[in-house]
Each structure stands twice: as C-alpha cells, then as structure tokens.
Amino acid sequence: MSGERRRATGRSRRRGAEGTPGPGGLPRAGAGRRAAGTPGPVLRAVGLARSFGQDESLVWAVGGMDLDVPAGQTLAVTGPSGCGKSTLLQLLGGLDRPTEGEVWLGGRRIDRLRERALARLRRRAVGFVFQDFHLMDELSAAQNVELPALLAGASPPAARRRAAALLDRVGLAARARHLPAQLSGGQRQRVAIARALVNEPLVVLADEPTGNLDSAATHDILRLFDELRAAGQTLVLVTHDERVAATADRVVSLRDGLPADDTRLDGVGNGGGAGNLDGPGGPDGPDGVDGMPDVDGGAGRGNGAGFGLDALLHWED
Amino acid sequence: MQDVVLALLVKEPSHGYDLRRRLAAALGPLGGTLNAGQIYVTLTRLEKAGLVVREREETPVRGPRRKVYALTAAGRERVAAWLAESPGPGAEVTAVHLKLVAAAESGLADPLALVDARRRELLRSLAEAQRAALAHDTDSEAGLLLEGIALRLQADLRWLEACRRTWSARTPRGRGGGDG
C-alpha cells in the first residue's frame, strides 16, 4: 500500500538552515545514538505514579504508567487539564519524585538519586522548555543560553561559542544581546529552546511550549522542533493543542493520570502505511461487525489508518 | 439518513412516528424540519430494497393504525457495515453525530470505540496537514489552505473529546462491540 503513495510529502528530514552544523549546534551525541540504533529507551517509566494529598483528599495525578521513549522519538502527551500530563513531565525530568515506580534516563535510574546528584544530572541530561519561557530578565539572550553551560562546567569561551551557534540555529543571531523584554514571545521561546539544548541533553522536555504563542510563532517553534527531531533529538512535548501533538511521532493521551490512547504518527506522510483510503470494510464491506475498528489502543496500525489530504479534495467538474 | 433509520430499527420494530421522534431528539433544532412524511418516504425506499419489511398493522387504543417496520437480515447487515465504515475525513459533525447515536441505539457498535477510532484517523490526517503546513510558508496560498484544514481537523478533534466524555458517561451498560 505504501507504493501507492506517490508523493513523499510531509515530514522533512532536511536541516532547516544548511551550513550551521557548528560545534555547538545540534546535539551530535543524539544523531550518533540514533544512527547506531542503540537499544534501550532514552527515557523509561515503570509503574510511575504520583499522588497528592492524604486520606480522603488523596489524588493520583499519575496513576501507574509505563512508558518507553526511544532515542530520537518525539512524543507528545496530551489530555484535558488536570489529566496529569504536567506532573508526568516533572517526574520524567527529575523535577518531582514519584510516589511509586521508577524513572530511567539514559539507562540510569534517577528517581532515587540524592538531590545534588539529581540536580547535576538534570542540568546535563535534560533540557526543559516551559510555557512561560522562564528566562532570566536581567540577562541577555546569549547569557541566558550560556548560563546552564557554565553551571555544567563549560569554560566561558566554550559556553559563548555554543550559545552563539545555538542562537544562530534558532534564527536569533542578531538578537543575542537583547534582553528578554526586548524580544517577542516567539523569540523568547526560541531562546529558551536554545538554552535547553546548550548541554546537548539526552532529552528535551517541553511543557506547553506554544501555550503563550500566536499561530505564527507557534509555526516557528514547531518547525524548530521538527529540525531537532530530524537531527535525532529525543523530545517529549506536553500539550493540550492537537495541532502541536500532531507534529510528534507518537501521541499518548492521558485521562485521569493514565494513558487512554497511544497513536503512532511516524509513518504519516512518509508513505509508511498511513493515508491509505481503503477504510475498514470498504464501500460494500464484508458482512457483519467483525470489521469494526476495535478500541484497543496499543497497535493502532490496522484501524488507525488516517486519511490522505487528497481525500479532502472533492474535484467535481 | 437511510442507514440511521435502519439503525433505529435494530432493537425492535417501530413505526414512522416513533422514528421521527427519536431522530428529532438526537438532532435538536436541526431536526425541526423533519416530518413524518419524509420518514415514510425513506421507509418505503428501504422496503423496496428489501432492507425492512412492513410487519403488521398495530391497532392503537385510538388514532389511526400505524405501519410497523422491522429490519430484515439484509438490513441488519447493511447497518453493521455502515457502522464499521469510517465517515471520512471531511464528514460533517451531524453525520458523525448520527452515526454515534445509531451505534448506541442499535447496540451494534460501541460509540466510544467509534470515537476513538475516528480520533486516531483525524489525528493522522492532522499530522499530515501539520507536516505539510510546516513545509509551506504561512502566507503562501497553499499554506493558507493547510491552515484551514488543520484548524478544521483540530475543531473536529476537540468535539470528539466532548463526545468521548458524554458517551462514556452514558454507556455503563457495557460495550456493544460484537453482535448486539
């Protein structure tokens, strides 16, 4: 069925800005890991659970989740507010500790690390991107990007070089000396993404990264994420925006702290089996309900076939 | 509309007036223009196609006799096939809504399963639209079209979330799933 798709549209594996593979550019380690196809997920959660409150007011924000994020995957976690998606991200990034279960990052269990070791690991191995940017107001864009590199032990010249390359990468080379207040929301978020990348993290965790942005700025950020993905960066996005989620390789929907659905999107637009139009049963389907799409989340392959965009064109003449 | 009418007959035979009432309840103000005449036209066509049979004439306590229609095996097969068929990416809200209602009313499919399947389909369409959109300038003509398509799919997905909430609150009596 893949042969029938003529256009290889969709996901561009191109690097957006050619000629900027500089030293501090995109994570080399990430690309290497992906090419080597190292087994084992970058990020793994086992029976992960987090409760708040006690007794009658006890609430399970995350209710016992297993999750594997392989190297190079962009995972989107969606769901209504209060479904536990932000808590999940905090647990995965070591910003919060689980009530039960385990978190593994780069093959290492992190949920039991002591605070100092955890902080060190976070700094080096995790890049965070937040909805409201979390930039230091009194520091320039470049200084904001340099800071985590310096904290992780990079020399000032090395930190400067990396920050310059990353700001160039996110299209803000000309704004390096601007303070956050002098930048638009979209520009600030691009600075925050550059900052998240400065220590070449194993994974970037983004919590509603486009939540405060207009559609044009959202478009820029999504393009940037797409370039990161093309470069092999592992990325976990928490979002309530279906359009943001749809740019991921995989979408996990949470309800009440548990995954309610897990949809793979990595074949879409690549001729990889998505977009074939023969839906279940076809026009004059076979007898009976056996062809019913079944609920089972898991695979989502057989019945999850989407519609090609061409199905939206009704050409009549 | 033929398929919806068939679906309403799965559980038990019924007459046009009752079918109209149930359709009107599902359609709210959109069903305001439905009249019994239209339903009978549809029923007559279905009868000619061998999908329903006029079973017997019910004698009510008062009022006119009503023609009661029952589903044939072929009619049942057709409903099942229709329910199993995806409504397609551009399907109107009303069409999807009626299918969910029909699934619940007939017991031949689980509305929640249909919601989930459609959600996955639309998500994949949206993924394709979004990826194409990222490859185009927002202010190009193609980019503008893709923006419209993505917004529309997003709206459909949000509505499906509402469907999921309502239908899951409403179907404690177990999944239809198999054979009603």
Side-chain angles (χ1 to χ4, degrees):
Chain A
M1 62 181 157
S2 58
E4 286 174 21
R5 291 203 64 75
R6 269 166 283 126
R7 288 168 300 127
T9 53
R11 176 120 52 94
S12 59
R13 287 273 171 204
R14 288 172 278 125
R15 309 270 293 240
E18 300 289 334
T20 52
L26 288 162
R28 289 157 296 177
R33 268 195 311 276
R34 180 172 219 182
T38 313
V42 166
L43 199 54
R44 160 170 278 176
V46 183
L48 193 64
R50 176 73 164 98
S51 64
F52 295 101
Q54 288 182 331
D55 303 325
E56 291 103 68
S57 60
L58 184 82
V59 176
W60 289 94
V62 175
M65 250 188 99
D66 296 327
L67 186 69
D68 277 0
V69 186
Q73 183 173 76
T74 297
L75 166 71
V77 180
T78 62
S81 57
C83 70
K85 55 191 192 297
S86 287
T87 304
L88 174 67
L89 201 74
Q90 305 234 319
L91 294 171
L92 293 178
L95 287 172
D96 187 15
R97 289 181 192 264
T99 314
E100 289 169 16
E102 305 165 10
V103 179
W104 295 72
L105 178 61
R108 186 171 172 203
R109 184 164 176 188
I110 67 164
D111 56 283
R112 286 186 170 169
L113 290 176
R114 274 192 302 222
E115 198 46 57
R116 184 181 293 187
L118 186 60
R120 207 163 39 230
L121 184 92
R122 269 199 312 259
R123 210 177 283 139
R124 282 189 297 103
V126 186
F128 289 100
V129 177
F130 300 97
Q131 177 170 2
D132 44 6
F133 324 130
H134 288 203
L135 297 177
M136 308 273 275
D137 293 336
E138 60 279 14
L139 299 184
S140 69
Q143 288 168 327
N144 265 289
V145 179
E146 287 166 26
L147 188 60
L150 294 170
L151 290 173
S155 71
R160 264 200 302 280
R161 268 200 311 277
R162 277 195 250 163
L166 281 165
L167 284 174
D168 186 44
R169 188 82 193 78
V170 302
L172 291 175
R175 312 263 168 167
R177 291 169 182 232
H178 286 53
L179 292 173
Q182 297 169 300
L183 300 172
S184 70
Q187 291 169 337
R188 280 185 235 182
Q189 194 60 303
R190 281 188 274 158
V191 173
I193 290 169
R195 180 184 58 185
L197 294 170
V198 75
N199 288 326
E200 300 185 354
L202 287 173
V203 62
V204 171
L205 303 179
D207 193 353
E208 300 283 4
T210 59
N212 281 344
L213 304 180
D214 64 23
S215 66
T218 296
H219 194 261
D220 290 345
I221 297 297
L222 292 181
R223 258 191 188 167
L224 190 52
F225 282 155
D226 206 43
E227 288 166 21
L228 295 181
R229 175 174 53 181
Q233 177 68 54
T234 311
L235 191 61
V236 180
L237 302 171
V238 156
T239 181
H240 70 277
D241 184 336
E242 299 81 359
R243 295 183 64 182
V244 174
T247 62
D249 296 314
R250 174 185 174 196
V251 181
V252 170
S253 312
L254 293 189
R255 277 183 204 99
D256 303 324
L258 285 171
D261 189 47
D262 191 344
T263 302
R264 304 296 305 248
L265 298 174
D266 38 7
V268 175
N270 268 352
N276 64 326
L277 294 178
D278 25 324
D284 247 10
D287 51 332
V289 266
D290 290 330
M292 274 300 301
D294 63 282
V295 228
D296 203 331
R301 276 260 164 215
N303 60 56
F307 313 102
L309 286 185
D310 37 7
L312 292 167
L313 175 63
H314 307 286
W315 191 277
E316 286 167 28
D317 56 358
Chain B
M1 203 51 97
Q2 288 194 359
D3 296 297
V4 187
V5 168
L6 289 175
L8 294 179
L9 292 171
V10 167
K11 282 193 174 157
E12 55 185 3
S14 187
H15 48 74
Y17 179 82
D18 181 55
L19 293 173
R20 189 190 74 125
R21 184 187 55 75
R22 287 156 76 193
L23 273 173
L27 287 167
L30 277 69
T33 54
L34 273 180
N35 61 52
Q38 284 168 302
I39 300 286
Y40 279 108
V41 169
T42 301
L43 284 168
T44 306
R45 282 186 189 147
L46 290 170
E47 193 183 5
K48 275 187 192 145
L51 300 170
V52 303
V53 285
R54 211 181 317 162
E55 216 176 35
R56 61 195 152 80
E57 308 233 326
E58 196 179 54
T59 316
V61 184
R62 54 199 166 88
R65 291 180 155 206
R66 288 177 178 140
K67 296 168 186 166
V68 174
Y69 292 86
L71 212 54
T72 64
R76 192 185 177 86
E77 224 168 71
R78 166 145 157 201
V79 185
W82 172 68
L83 285 171
E85 199 178 277
S86 160
E92 293 299 328
V93 167
T94 312
V96 178
H97 174 69
L98 282 174
K99 198 164 215 171
L100 297 176
V101 170
E105 289 268 339
S106 67
L108 287 181
D110 178 4
L112 281 179
L114 297 187
V115 167
D116 284 343
R118 182 161 181 79
R119 181 180 175 281
R120 271 181 236 126
E121 288 173 338
L122 292 182
L123 201 50
R124 296 179 77 91
S125 298
L126 181 56
E128 196 176 341
Q130 277 289 86
R131 282 166 196 183
L134 290 184
H136 287 82
D137 275 335
T138 35
D139 50 5
S140 67
E141 286 174 5
L144 197 56
L145 172 62
L146 291 165
E147 175 76 6
I149 289 171
L151 283 170
R152 162 96 198 252
L153 289 166
Q154 181 181 41
D156 283 350
L157 281 163
R158 292 191 171 176
W159 176 66
L160 283 178
E161 196 55 43
C163 289
R164 159 161 263 295
R165 273 197 302 278
T166 301
W167 286 112
S168 60
R170 212 178 256 217
T171 40
R173 56 193 157 86
R175 322 144 292 120
D179 34 47

Coordinates of all heavy atoms in Angstrom, one line a residue, chain B residues 76-136:
Chain B
R76 N -30.0 -5.5 8.5 CA -29.1 -5.6 9.6 C -27.7 -5.6 9.2 O -26.8 -5.0 9.8 CB -29.5 -6.9 10.4 CG -28.8 -6.9 11.8 CD -29.2 -8.3 12.4 NE -28.5 -8.4 13.7 CZ -29.0 -8.0 14.8 NH1 -30.2 -7.4 14.8 NH2 -28.3 -8.1 15.9
E77 N -27.4 -6.4 8.1 CA -26.1 -6.5 7.6 C -25.6 -5.1 7.1 O -24.5 -4.7 7.3 CB -26.1 -7.4 6.4 CG -24.9 -8.4 6.4 CD -25.2 -9.5 5.4 OE1 -25.1 -9.2 4.2 OE2 -25.5 -10.6 5.8
R78 N -26.5 -4.4 6.5 CA -26.2 -3.1 6.0 C -25.8 -2.1 7.1 O -24.9 -1.3 7.0 CB -27.3 -2.5 5.1 CG -27.0 -1.1 4.8 CD -27.4 -0.6 3.5 NE -27.7 0.8 3.6 CZ -28.4 1.5 2.7 NH1 -29.0 0.9 1.7 NH2 -28.6 2.8 2.9
V79 N -26.6 -2.1 8.2 CA -26.4 -1.2 9.3 C -25.0 -1.5 9.9 O -24.2 -0.6 10.1 CB -27.4 -1.4 10.5 CG1 -27.1 -0.4 11.5 CG2 -28.8 -1.3 10.0
A80 N -24.7 -2.8 10.1 CA -23.4 -3.2 10.6 C -22.3 -2.7 9.8 O -21.3 -2.2 10.3 CB -23.4 -4.7 10.8
A81 N -22.4 -2.9 8.5 CA -21.4 -2.5 7.6 C -21.2 -1.0 7.6 O -20.1 -0.5 7.6 CB -21.7 -2.9 6.1
W82 N -22.3 -0.3 7.6 CA -22.3 1.2 7.7 C -21.6 1.7 9.0 O -20.7 2.6 8.9 CB -23.7 1.8 7.6 CG -23.8 3.2 7.8 CD1 -23.3 4.2 7.0 CD2 -24.4 3.9 8.9 NE1 -23.5 5.4 7.5 CE2 -24.2 5.3 8.7 CE3 -25.1 3.5 10.1 CZ2 -24.7 6.2 9.6 CZ3 -25.6 4.4 10.9 CH2 -25.4 5.8 10.7
L83 N -21.9 1.0 10.1 CA -21.3 1.4 11.3 C -19.8 1.2 11.3 O -19.0 1.9 12.0 CB -21.9 0.7 12.5 CG -23.3 1.2 12.9 CD1 -24.0 0.3 13.9 CD2 -23.3 2.6 13.4
A84 N -19.4 0.1 10.6 CA -18.0 -0.2 10.6 C -17.2 0.7 9.7 O -15.9 0.7 9.7 CB -17.8 -1.7 10.2
E85 N -17.9 1.4 8.8 CA -17.2 2.2 7.8 C -16.9 3.6 8.4 O -17.7 4.2 9.1 CB -18.3 2.3 6.7 CG -17.8 2.7 5.4 CD -19.0 2.7 4.4 OE1 -19.4 1.7 3.9 OE2 -19.6 3.8 4.3
S86 N -15.7 4.0 8.1 CA -15.3 5.4 8.6 C -16.1 6.4 7.8 O -16.3 6.3 6.6 CB -13.8 5.6 8.3 OG -13.5 7.0 8.3
P87 N -16.6 7.5 8.5 CA -17.3 8.5 7.8 C -16.4 9.4 6.9 O -17.0 10.2 6.2 CB -17.9 9.3 8.9 CG -17.5 8.7 10.2 CD -16.5 7.7 9.9
G88 N -15.1 9.2 6.9 CA -14.3 10.0 6.1 C -13.9 11.3 6.7 O -14.5 11.8 7.6
P89 N -12.7 11.9 6.3 CA -12.1 13.0 7.0 C -13.0 14.3 7.0 O -13.0 15.0 7.9 CB -10.8 13.2 6.2 CG -11.1 12.7 4.9 CD -12.0 11.5 5.1
G90 N -13.7 14.5 5.9 CA -14.4 15.7 5.8 C -15.9 15.6 6.2 O -16.7 16.5 6.0
A91 N -16.2 14.5 6.9 CA -17.6 14.3 7.3 C -18.1 15.4 8.2 O -17.3 15.9 9.1 CB -17.7 13.0 8.1
E92 N -19.3 15.8 8.0 CA -19.9 16.9 8.8 C -20.2 16.3 10.2 O -20.4 15.2 10.4 CB -21.3 17.3 8.2 CG -21.1 18.0 6.9 CD -20.3 19.3 7.0 OE1 -20.4 19.9 8.0 OE2 -19.6 19.6 6.0
V93 N -20.2 17.3 11.1 CA -20.5 17.0 12.5 C -21.8 16.2 12.6 O -21.9 15.2 13.4 CB -20.6 18.3 13.4 CG1 -21.1 18.0 14.7 CG2 -19.2 18.9 13.5
T94 N -22.8 16.6 11.9 CA -24.1 16.0 12.0 C -24.0 14.5 11.6 O -24.6 13.6 12.3 CB -25.1 16.7 11.1 OG1 -25.0 18.1 11.4 CG2 -26.5 16.2 11.4
A95 N -23.3 14.2 10.6 CA -23.2 12.8 10.1 C -22.5 12.0 11.1 O -22.9 10.8 11.4 CB -22.4 12.8 8.7
V96 N -21.4 12.5 11.7 CA -20.7 11.7 12.7 C -21.6 11.5 13.9 O -21.7 10.4 14.5 CB -19.4 12.4 13.1 CG1 -18.6 11.6 14.1 CG2 -18.5 12.6 11.8
H97 N -22.2 12.6 14.3 CA -23.1 12.5 15.5 C -24.2 11.4 15.3 O -24.4 10.6 16.2 CB -23.8 13.9 15.7 CG -24.8 13.9 16.7 ND1 -24.5 13.8 18.1 CD2 -26.1 14.1 16.7 CE1 -25.6 13.9 18.8 NE2 -26.6 14.1 18.0
L98 N -24.8 11.5 14.1 CA -25.9 10.5 13.9 C -25.3 9.1 13.9 O -26.0 8.1 14.3 CB -26.6 10.8 12.5 CG -27.6 11.9 12.6 CD1 -28.1 12.2 11.2 CD2 -28.7 11.6 13.5
K99 N -24.1 8.9 13.5 CA -23.5 7.6 13.5 C -23.3 7.1 14.9 O -23.6 5.9 15.2 CB -22.2 7.6 12.7 CG -21.8 6.2 12.3 CD -20.7 6.3 11.2 CE -20.9 5.1 10.3 NZ -20.0 5.2 9.1
L100 N -22.9 8.0 15.7 CA -22.7 7.6 17.1 C -24.0 7.3 17.8 O -24.1 6.3 18.6 CB -22.0 8.8 17.9 CG -20.6 9.1 17.4 CD1 -20.0 10.3 18.2 CD2 -19.6 7.9 17.6
V101 N -25.0 8.1 17.5 CA -26.3 7.8 18.1 C -26.8 6.5 17.6 O -27.3 5.7 18.3 CB -27.3 9.0 17.6 CG1 -28.8 8.6 18.0 CG2 -27.0 10.3 18.3
A102 N -26.6 6.2 16.3 CA -27.1 5.0 15.7 C -26.3 3.8 16.3 O -27.0 2.8 16.6 CB -26.8 5.0 14.2
A103 N -25.1 4.0 16.6 CA -24.3 2.9 17.2 C -24.9 2.6 18.6 O -25.1 1.4 18.9 CB -22.8 3.3 17.4
A104 N -25.2 3.6 19.3 CA -25.7 3.4 20.7 C -27.1 2.8 20.6 O -27.5 1.9 21.3 CB -25.7 4.7 21.4
E105 N -28.0 3.4 19.7 CA -29.4 2.9 19.6 C -29.5 1.5 19.1 O -30.4 0.8 19.6 CB -30.1 3.8 18.6 CG -30.4 5.2 19.2 CD -31.7 5.3 19.9 OE1 -32.6 4.5 19.7 OE2 -31.9 6.3 20.7
S106 N -28.6 1.1 18.2 CA -28.7 -0.2 17.7 C -27.9 -1.3 18.5 O -28.3 -2.4 18.5 CB -28.0 -0.3 16.3 OG -26.6 0.0 16.4
G107 N -27.0 -0.8 19.3 CA -26.2 -1.7 20.1 C -25.3 -2.6 19.3 O -24.6 -3.5 19.7
L108 N -25.1 -2.2 18.0 CA -24.2 -2.9 17.1 C -22.8 -2.5 17.1 O -21.9 -3.1 16.6 CB -24.8 -2.9 15.7 CG -26.0 -3.7 15.3 CD1 -26.4 -3.5 13.9 CD2 -25.8 -5.1 15.7
A109 N -22.6 -1.3 17.8 CA -21.2 -0.8 17.9 C -21.1 0.0 19.1 O -22.1 0.6 19.6 CB -20.8 0.0 16.6
D110 N -19.9 0.2 19.6 CA -19.7 1.0 20.8 C -19.4 2.4 20.4 O -18.4 2.6 19.7 CB -18.6 0.3 21.6 CG -18.3 1.2 22.9 OD1 -19.0 2.1 23.1 OD2 -17.3 0.8 23.5
P111 N -20.2 3.4 20.8 CA -19.9 4.7 20.3 C -18.5 5.2 20.8 O -17.8 5.9 20.0 CB -21.0 5.6 21.1 CG -22.0 4.6 21.7 CD -21.5 3.2 21.5
L112 N -18.1 4.7 21.9 CA -16.8 5.1 22.4 C -15.7 4.6 21.5 O -14.7 5.2 21.2 CB -16.5 4.6 23.8 CG -17.2 5.5 24.9 CD1 -16.9 4.9 26.2 CD2 -16.7 6.9 24.8
A113 N -15.9 3.3 21.0 CA -14.9 2.7 20.1 C -14.9 3.5 18.8 O -13.8 3.8 18.2 CB -15.3 1.3 19.8
L114 N -16.0 4.0 18.3 CA -16.1 4.8 17.1 C -15.4 6.1 17.3 O -14.7 6.6 16.4 CB -17.5 5.0 16.7 CG -18.4 3.8 16.3 CD1 -19.7 4.2 15.7 CD2 -17.6 2.9 15.3
V115 N -15.6 6.7 18.5 CA -15.0 8.0 18.8 C -13.5 7.8 18.8 O -12.7 8.6 18.2 CB -15.4 8.5 20.2 CG1 -14.6 9.7 20.6 CG2 -16.9 9.0 20.1
D116 N -13.0 6.8 19.4 CA -11.5 6.6 19.5 C -10.9 6.3 18.1 O -9.9 6.8 17.8 CB -11.2 5.4 20.4 CG -11.4 5.8 21.9 OD1 -11.4 7.0 22.2 OD2 -11.5 4.9 22.8
A117 N -11.6 5.5 17.3 CA -11.1 5.2 16.0 C -11.1 6.5 15.2 O -10.1 6.7 14.5 CB -12.0 4.1 15.3
R118 N -12.1 7.3 15.3 CA -12.1 8.5 14.5 C -11.1 9.5 15.0 O -10.4 10.2 14.2 CB -13.5 9.1 14.6 CG -13.6 10.4 13.7 CD -15.0 10.8 13.4 NE -15.0 12.0 12.5 CZ -14.8 12.0 11.2 NH1 -14.5 10.9 10.6 NH2 -14.8 13.1 10.6
R119 N -10.9 9.5 16.3 CA -9.9 10.4 16.8 C -8.5 10.0 16.2 O -7.8 10.9 15.8 CB -9.9 10.2 18.3 CG -8.9 11.1 19.0 CD -8.8 11.0 20.5 NE -7.8 11.8 21.0 CZ -6.5 11.4 21.0 NH1 -6.2 10.2 20.5 NH2 -5.6 12.1 21.5
R120 N -8.2 8.7 16.2 CA -6.9 8.3 15.6 C -6.8 8.7 14.1 O -5.8 9.1 13.7 CB -6.8 6.8 15.8 CG -6.1 6.5 17.1 CD -5.9 5.0 17.2 NE -6.6 4.5 18.4 CZ -7.5 3.6 18.5 NH1 -7.8 2.9 17.5 NH2 -8.0 3.3 19.7
E121 N -7.9 8.5 13.4 CA -7.9 8.8 12.0 C -7.7 10.3 11.8 O -6.8 10.7 11.0 CB -9.2 8.4 11.3 CG -9.4 7.0 11.2 CD -10.8 6.6 10.7 OE1 -11.8 7.4 10.9 OE2 -11.0 5.5 10.1
L122 N -8.4 11.1 12.6 CA -8.3 12.6 12.4 C -6.9 13.0 12.8 O -6.3 14.0 12.2 CB -9.4 13.3 13.2 CG -10.8 13.1 12.6 CD1 -11.8 13.9 13.5 CD2 -10.9 13.5 11.2
L123 N -6.4 12.4 13.9 CA -5.0 12.8 14.3 C -4.0 12.5 13.2 O -3.1 13.3 13.0 CB -4.7 12.0 15.6 CG -3.6 12.5 16.5 CD1 -3.9 14.0 16.9 CD2 -3.6 11.7 17.8
R124 N -4.2 11.4 12.5 CA -3.2 11.1 11.5 C -3.4 12.1 10.3 O -2.4 12.5 9.7 CB -3.4 9.7 11.0 CG -3.1 8.7 12.1 CD -3.2 7.3 11.6 NE -2.2 6.8 10.7 CZ -1.0 6.3 11.2 NH1 -0.9 6.0 12.5 NH2 -0.1 5.9 10.4
S125 N -4.6 12.5 10.0 CA -4.9 13.5 9.0 C -4.2 14.8 9.4 O -3.6 15.5 8.6 CB -6.4 13.7 8.7 OG -7.0 12.5 8.3
L126 N -4.5 15.1 10.7 CA -3.9 16.4 11.2 C -2.4 16.4 11.1 O -1.8 17.4 10.8 CB -4.4 16.7 12.6 CG -3.9 18.0 13.2 CD1 -4.3 19.2 12.4 CD2 -4.5 18.1 14.6
A127 N -1.8 15.2 11.4 CA -0.4 15.1 11.4 C 0.1 15.4 9.9 O 1.1 16.1 9.7 CB 0.1 13.7 11.8
E128 N -0.6 14.8 9.0 CA -0.2 15.1 7.6 C -0.4 16.5 7.2 O 0.5 17.1 6.6 CB -1.0 14.2 6.7 CG -0.4 14.1 5.3 CD -1.1 13.1 4.3 OE1 -1.9 12.3 4.8 OE2 -0.9 13.3 3.1
A129 N -1.5 17.1 7.6 CA -1.7 18.5 7.3 C -0.7 19.4 8.0 O -0.1 20.4 7.4 CB -3.1 19.0 7.8
Q130 N -0.4 19.1 9.3 CA 0.6 19.9 10.0 C 2.0 19.8 9.4 O 2.7 20.8 9.3 CB 0.6 19.5 11.5 CG -0.5 20.1 12.3 CD -0.2 21.6 12.6 OE1 -0.6 22.4 11.8 NE2 0.4 21.9 13.6
R131 N 2.4 18.6 9.0 CA 3.7 18.4 8.5 C 3.8 19.1 7.1 O 4.8 19.7 6.8 CB 4.0 17.0 8.3 CG 4.4 16.4 9.7 CD 4.4 14.9 9.8 NE 4.4 14.5 11.2 CZ 4.5 13.3 11.6 NH1 4.6 12.3 10.7 NH2 4.5 13.0 12.9
A132 N 2.7 19.1 6.4 CA 2.7 19.8 5.1 C 2.7 21.3 5.4 O 3.4 22.1 4.7 CB 1.5 19.4 4.3
A133 N 2.0 21.7 6.4 CA 2.0 23.2 6.7 C 3.3 23.7 7.1 O 3.7 24.8 6.8 CB 1.0 23.4 7.9
L134 N 4.1 22.9 7.9 CA 5.4 23.3 8.3 C 6.3 23.5 7.1 O 7.3 24.2 7.2 CB 6.0 22.3 9.3 CG 5.3 22.2 10.7 CD1 6.1 21.3 11.6 CD2 5.3 23.6 11.3
A135 N 6.0 22.7 6.0 CA 6.9 22.8 4.9 C 6.5 24.0 4.0 O 7.2 24.2 3.0 CB 6.9 21.5 4.1
H136 N 5.4 24.7 4.3 CA 5.0 25.8 3.5 C 5.0 27.1 4.3 O 4.9 27.1 5.5 CB 3.6 25.6 3.0 CG 3.5 24.6 1.9 ND1 3.4 23.2 2.2 CD2 3.4 24.7 0.6 CE1 3.4 22.5 1.1 NE2 3.4 23.4 0.1

